[in-house]
Amino acid sequence: MYRFLFVFVLSTLFVSVDVFSADIKLTKREDSSAYSIGFNVGKSILNQLQHDSLPFNIKYVLTGIEDGLLQKKPAISEDKVQQFVAELQQQLTQKRQKEQERREKELQKQSEDNLKKAKEFLEENKKKEDINVTQSGLQYKVLKLGTGKHPKATSMVKVHYKGTLLDGTVFDESYSRGNQPAEFALDKVIRGFQEGLMLMAEGSKFILYIPPDIGYGNRPLGKIPPNSLLIFEVELFEVKDQ
């Protein structure tokens, strides 16, 4: 928060004292520019106050800024001003540390729960007759077997795919992009996806069940929580060797 107040003081040095009046007239381009700077900085201060859940009366914030800019005698001593600012900074630091610790514990629990769910699912899934299991633990189901060439680890491939989590959440897919297949190099994707594509021939359609250790592991990524099992439905259209 304090850095926003500092930026505000610097930027408003270019603004006429009249900006504190509610009835200003912006007839010059430089006045409009100055007002725009002040407006954006004001929004930044408000956003920071709201982000830190500080129930401050904006009237007093603005009065303090005005008194400081116009070098008025402060309503409390400057020693007290610095004391309150230091106390506030300390409180915010402690609050953010606690929030960070809370998030880390939450992610750790989520990671452990997801890993357990992934193992349980894979253990049951591999019992099905149409499920194949590789040495890495990757599981896959053949929906359609093509007759074209297989990609190598460094091949460029053209595919359609849909990635979902165990609860059915779609975290990524290519079908909504104007029905245009995605193209990428296999050495740029996660290990489980790379391995699964290398098992496919052009014209194939598989479902891949990727364990966390050959997926994104315990790293949360966008819609993907830590240690998530990833399920991909993939169609391989073309292989372009590098």
Side-chain angles (χ1 to χ4, degrees):
M1 182 195 73
Y2 196 58
R3 68 178 182 274
F4 285 122
L5 296 180
F6 180 69
V7 173
F8 183 90
V9 170
L10 289 180
S11 62
T12 48
L13 290 176
F14 300 99
V15 185
S16 167
V17 173
D18 290 341
V19 298
F20 293 105
S21 168
D23 190 26
I24 61 173
K25 294 181 180 180
L26 303 174
T27 57
K28 298 179 181 180
R29 183 180 182 85
E30 57 266 31
D31 291 341
S32 295
S33 296
Y35 174 81
S36 299
I37 292 172
F39 182 82
N40 281 338
V41 175
K43 285 183 66 176
S44 296
I45 294 173
L46 179 61
N47 289 339
Q48 192 67 30
L49 292 174
Q50 292 175 336
H51 177 268
D52 290 317
S53 301
L54 299 173
F56 290 163
N57 188 322
I58 297 298
K59 172 184 176 182
Y60 297 128
V61 175
L62 293 177
T63 300
I65 292 172
E66 182 177 2
D67 287 352
L69 281 173
L70 301 182
Q71 299 183 348
K72 293 182 178 179
K73 181 178 179 181
I76 55 178
S77 70
E78 291 201 34
D79 287 343
K80 283 290 186 181
V81 168
Q82 299 309 318
Q83 177 186 331
F84 281 117
V85 169
E87 289 176 356
L88 178 59
Q89 289 178 320
Q90 184 178 18
Q91 291 169 8
L92 290 178
T93 298
Q94 292 172 347
K95 179 180 178 181
R96 289 164 184 165
Q97 286 176 343
K98 288 181 179 178
E99 179 62 21
Q100 179 65 23
E101 290 171 0
R102 185 194 66 78
R103 285 198 299 264
E104 288 175 356
K105 288 180 180 178
E106 187 178 273
L107 280 176
Q108 181 61 31
K109 185 178 186 308
Q110 193 177 41
S111 179
E112 293 170 356
D113 290 346
N114 286 338
L115 185 58
K116 180 181 178 182
K117 291 176 183 178
K119 289 180 177 179
E120 290 174 348
F121 174 87
L122 292 169
E123 190 63 30
E124 289 300 313
N125 198 51
K126 71 179 183 181
K127 297 176 183 177
K128 300 176 182 178
E129 292 184 2
D130 55 357
I131 296 298
N132 303 278
V133 185
T134 70
Q135 189 174 0
S136 71
L138 172 71
Q139 297 183 7
Y140 66 95
K141 178 180 179 180
V142 178
L143 301 180
K144 178 184 176 184
L145 200 56
T147 57
K149 62 182 179 180
H150 289 255
K152 297 181 295 188
T154 57
S155 295
M156 286 287 295
V157 293
K158 181 182 289 188
V159 302
H160 260 321
Y161 66 91
K162 181 173 74 172
T164 59
L165 304 177
L166 272 177
D167 63 3
T169 298
V170 177
F171 61 83
D172 194 14
E173 53 90 24
S174 63
Y175 293 97
S176 64
R177 302 169 191 169
N179 205 35
Q180 182 68 29
E183 292 189 38
F184 49 80
L186 275 189
D187 59 0
K188 303 299 182 184
V189 299
I190 55 175
R191 179 184 161 197
F193 198 71
Q194 181 190 60
E195 181 184 350
L197 264 292
M198 291 171 64
L199 295 170
M200 301 172 67
E202 291 172 322
S204 297
K205 185 175 183 179
F206 282 17
I207 296 180
L208 307 177
Y209 303 90
I210 302 178
D213 62 329
I214 55 173
Y216 290 106
N218 60 4
R219 297 173 295 154
L221 183 68
K223 295 181 180 179
I224 305 174
N227 273 333
S228 290
L229 175 81
L230 309 177
I231 303 174
F232 281 97
E233 184 175 304
V234 190
E235 298 178 77
L236 176 58
F237 298 110
E238 185 181 355
V239 175
K240 300 179 180 180
D241 290 326
Q242 297 280 53

